[in-house]
Amino acid sequence: MASLCNSVGVHFWTILSSLNSKRFRLGYFVITCFLIYWIYSAIVSNQQVVSVWLNFVQTRKFDPLMASNRKIDRRTCCQSPDYSKDICGRPNCTSCPSPRDLNQLKSDGQNAFFIETSGSGALNIRQAFAVESLAFHNPNLTINVLFMDDGHKKQIKKSKVLTETVEKLKSKYENIQFIVVDLDEFMAGTSMDKWFHCTDWRTGPYHVAHLSDGLRFLTLHKYGGYYFDLDIISVRPVTYYRNFITAASATNFANGIIHADYGHPITQLAVNDFPTNYKKNMWTHNGPDLVLRVMKIFCQEENFNAINYVSCRGFGVLPTSTFSPIHWSNWQSFFSQRPANETGAPSWITNQVVGVHVWNKLSFNETAYKNSTQEYVLLVSHNCPVIYSIAPETF
């Protein structure tokens, strides 16, 4: 600092020496000294501030909460502090904080789940009908719509309708919540973690459906509650029924509607079976067929017709008519026009029917006309009033 002052002083004095007036030179010299003192004081002060800040940064411990928004590549995380390989068995792994929980979800609550795996981050009109109908008939349930993000899909540009459905449901129903789920975090530390990161499941022809199959089992294992496909229109409360699956036919089960209490051994069996017996080229193997395998083990019964509430120790099987009163092979009847004077509920909605599976995989391209007498339109107009009010003329 002293050499800096001397250099500046010499420089200024050289300039001042060229001036004729001694008084003028003296004034400039005083001003120069004042400026040098001010610069020196500012530098010393800033050095102290910088020193304190650096000391804070160097001594502060890493806080996972501070970095909660930072994307962590769970594929590269060490499995434990004592094991220097990642989940796929590769060396040079990285140390990672514990997986983040979904704080909005409680395992002891009255949960119901819908899972959206397309990556759209929104609901189309028909999906929104399903969500509203469940909330409408079950105000004591917390309806959780999980939008799964695995980082591999391009974000789909949302239309006005897609955005409006979510906003409308949020504004009208206090028992619906929408949650974006980071799949890396959701899978981390579970029995499905290695399957998700280390296998070629994404190359299979049914990989989106299979991911949905696995996620419904894992979600119920983590939190307990109800799971519903996004093409089930509820027509009355479901909470009377607990710990159940539904029959799909006389020889197999469905997995589109399930309830399991938190910690039920059925869900543990399911999440263990899924990665162990996964087959990417078989449509039903990782869903309905998995349910059949698990039920046979849990109920200790090979005979399908003998699997029931008693043999399965309180885990029941609801008849097909409870949620599938119209067989999948007859899905087109939902879109046929009824006589103009028939505006009530269809005759097949009996007291036994809790919800109606509308088979979206088959019917998604069929047009529904608002205010028509199509059975599907009558179904949603009676059970989904909010979304029906904003539906376009065709959907």
Side-chain angles (χ1 to χ4, degrees):
M1 182 56 69
S3 60
L4 175 62
C5 293
N6 289 335
S7 299
V8 173
V10 169
H11 179 68
F12 271 90
W13 186 254
T14 303
I15 296 173
L16 293 173
S17 296
S18 62
L19 302 174
N20 295 327
S21 170
K22 291 183 179 180
R23 181 179 298 174
F24 199 75
R25 289 199 301 270
L26 179 61
Y28 264 93
F29 181 77
V30 171
I31 292 173
T32 300
C33 289
F34 175 79
L35 288 174
I36 292 172
Y37 176 79
W38 180 81
I39 292 170
Y40 174 79
S41 299
I43 291 174
V44 171
S45 176
N46 283 333
Q47 281 180 330
Q48 290 174 345
V49 172
V50 171
S51 177
V52 170
W53 182 80
L54 287 174
N55 183 62
F56 170 78
V57 171
Q58 291 169 355
T59 59
R60 184 172 175 80
K61 293 182 179 180
F62 173 75
D63 182 357
L65 295 176
M66 294 280 290
S68 61
N69 292 324
R70 181 170 61 90
K71 174 69 176 176
I72 297 171
D73 187 355
R74 292 285 174 188
R75 293 173 300 177
T76 65
C77 294
C78 299
Q79 289 187 266
S80 72
D82 303 322
Y83 190 72
S84 59
K85 292 184 178 180
D86 63 24
I87 189 67
C88 301
R90 297 169 297 205
N92 303 319
C93 59
T94 57
S95 179
C96 301
S98 299
R100 298 191 295 271
D101 269 336
L102 294 176
N103 295 326
Q104 304 97 316
L105 298 178
K106 306 297 180 185
S107 58
D108 59 350
Q110 282 279 77
N111 289 313
F113 296 95
F114 292 97
I115 299 177
E116 211 289 322
T117 54
S118 73
S120 69
L123 297 175
N124 63 40
I125 283 288
R126 294 191 182 183
Q127 291 173 327
F129 284 144
V131 174
E132 181 183 4
S133 68
L134 186 62
F136 179 72
H137 288 291
N138 299 275
N140 294 327
L141 282 181
T142 299
I143 315 300
N144 304 285
V145 183
L146 307 185
F147 295 106
M148 296 296 181
D149 177 17
D150 72 352
H152 288 261
K153 299 183 178 72
K154 294 181 180 179
Q155 189 67 25
I156 299 173
K157 186 177 180 180
K158 301 181 185 66
S159 69
K160 181 181 178 181
V161 172
L162 285 176
T163 304
E164 190 176 4
T165 56
V166 170
E167 294 304 319
K168 200 74 172 178
L169 289 172
K170 285 168 63 176
S171 67
K172 295 295 184 180
Y173 290 92
E174 294 182 355
N175 62 328
I176 300 178
Q177 58 180 350
F178 298 92
I179 305 170
V180 177
V181 179
D182 183 329
L183 271 177
D184 274 10
E185 298 295 322
F186 200 71
M187 293 286 189
T190 72
S191 59
M192 291 174 58
D193 196 7
K194 189 171 184 178
W195 166 82
F196 183 71
H197 287 301
C198 312
T199 70
D200 63 349
W201 66 271
R202 289 184 178 87
T203 65
Y206 313 116
H207 65 281
V208 174
H210 288 167
L211 176 62
S212 178
D213 286 332
L215 286 172
R216 69 193 65 185
F217 302 130
L218 183 58
T219 301
L220 294 184
H221 179 60
K222 280 173 170 271
Y223 303 104
Y226 297 87
Y227 166 81
F228 287 84
D229 276 349
L230 277 163
D231 58 352
I232 309 292
I233 305 299
S234 296
V235 298
R236 56 176 47 91
V238 71
T239 48
Y240 175 78
Y241 302 96
R242 300 182 67 84
N243 293 316
F244 67 84
I245 54 169
T246 62
S249 66
T251 59
N252 210 345
F253 299 116
N255 70 332
I257 307 97
I258 309 170
H259 179 272
D261 286 333
Y262 173 67
H264 199 288
I266 281 282
T267 62
Q268 182 67 67
L269 289 169
V271 296
N272 289 343
D273 182 284
F274 186 88
T276 302
N277 297 309
Y278 184 77
K279 288 182 171 55
K280 68 179 182 179
N281 294 315
M282 298 177 68
W283 168 256
T284 62
H285 180 81
N286 312 295
D289 294 350
L290 179 153
V291 174
L292 180 59
R293 293 193 298 271
V294 165
M295 290 294 285
K296 286 182 176 180
I297 294 170
F298 178 73
C299 306
Q300 299 179 352
E301 180 59 70
E302 286 293 320
N303 181 2
F304 178 86
N305 293 322
I307 295 176
N308 53 45
Y309 186 86
V310 176
S311 64
C312 297
R313 294 166 282 164
F315 198 90
V317 180
L318 298 182
T320 306
S321 57
T322 312
F323 288 98
S324 300
I326 298 296
H327 191 262
W328 64 266
S329 62
N330 197 31
W331 66 267
Q332 288 178 319
S333 66
F334 286 121
F335 299 91
S336 61
Q337 295 281 355
R338 300 170 67 193
N341 61 340
E342 293 184 15
T343 57
S347 59
W348 44 261
I349 297 187
T350 65
N351 291 335
Q352 192 179 33
V353 177
V354 177
V356 181
H357 194 172
V358 297
W359 309 108
N360 187 61
K361 182 174 173 58
L362 301 170
S363 66
F364 71 97
N365 272 332
E366 196 74 15
T367 302
Y369 298 91
K370 193 172 186 178
N371 300 319
S372 72
T373 60
Q374 291 170 300
E375 290 193 342
Y376 177 69
V377 173
L378 294 174
L379 193 64
V380 298
S381 64
H382 292 158
N383 298 285
C384 326
V386 172
I387 295 300
Y388 187 75
S389 71
I390 64 168
E393 291 305 308
T394 60
F395 51 86

